[in-house]
Amino acid sequence: MAWATIAKPVTPLAREILDFWFGPLPDATRDEWFRKDPAFDATIRDRFASAVEAALAGAFDAWRADPHGALAHVLLLDQFTRNIFRDTPRTFAG
């Protein structure tokens, strides 16, 4: 796993989020970040909707104590909400 070498271990869910979003190293950008892609949105919804809902309800706040956990938290509340709730007011819920 790309994020398995982090000095301070993150939770398996945070690692899954980071691995999904950033993909294998050394690539740090993905074409999907810059365009509307219903299939990509559906993948995020299928894999992470329950985690997004939990984060919106305040779960995973402890992740903010670690840089990589904080990044996974931001992805859930900012990027994943944009994909899951695209074109709705909930896009900016996080």
Side-chain angles (χ1 to χ4, degrees):
M1 287 186 184
W3 294 91
T5 59
I6 296 170
K8 183 177 180 181
V10 296
T11 69
L13 177 57
R15 183 171 296 120
E16 181 182 356
I17 291 163
L18 295 171
D19 286 345
F20 171 82
W21 190 253
F22 293 107
L25 293 175
D27 294 330
T29 60
R30 297 176 64 180
D31 292 337
E32 293 89 347
W33 296 351
F34 304 105
R35 61 176 156 63
K36 217 180 219 187
D37 183 340
F40 188 63
D41 293 351
T43 298
I44 292 173
R45 189 177 306 107
D46 292 345
R47 288 184 64 179
F48 299 107
S50 63
V52 167
E53 292 294 346
L56 288 168
F60 315 126
D61 285 352
W63 289 5
R64 294 182 296 188
D66 169 75
H68 293 93
L71 179 56
H73 198 247
V74 167
L75 290 172
L76 281 175
L77 293 175
D78 182 62
Q79 296 302 317
F80 287 10
T81 56
R82 291 171 190 247
N83 292 92
I84 291 172
F85 305 123
R86 187 179 300 281
D87 298 327
T88 73
R90 287 198 78 196
T91 296
F92 305 104

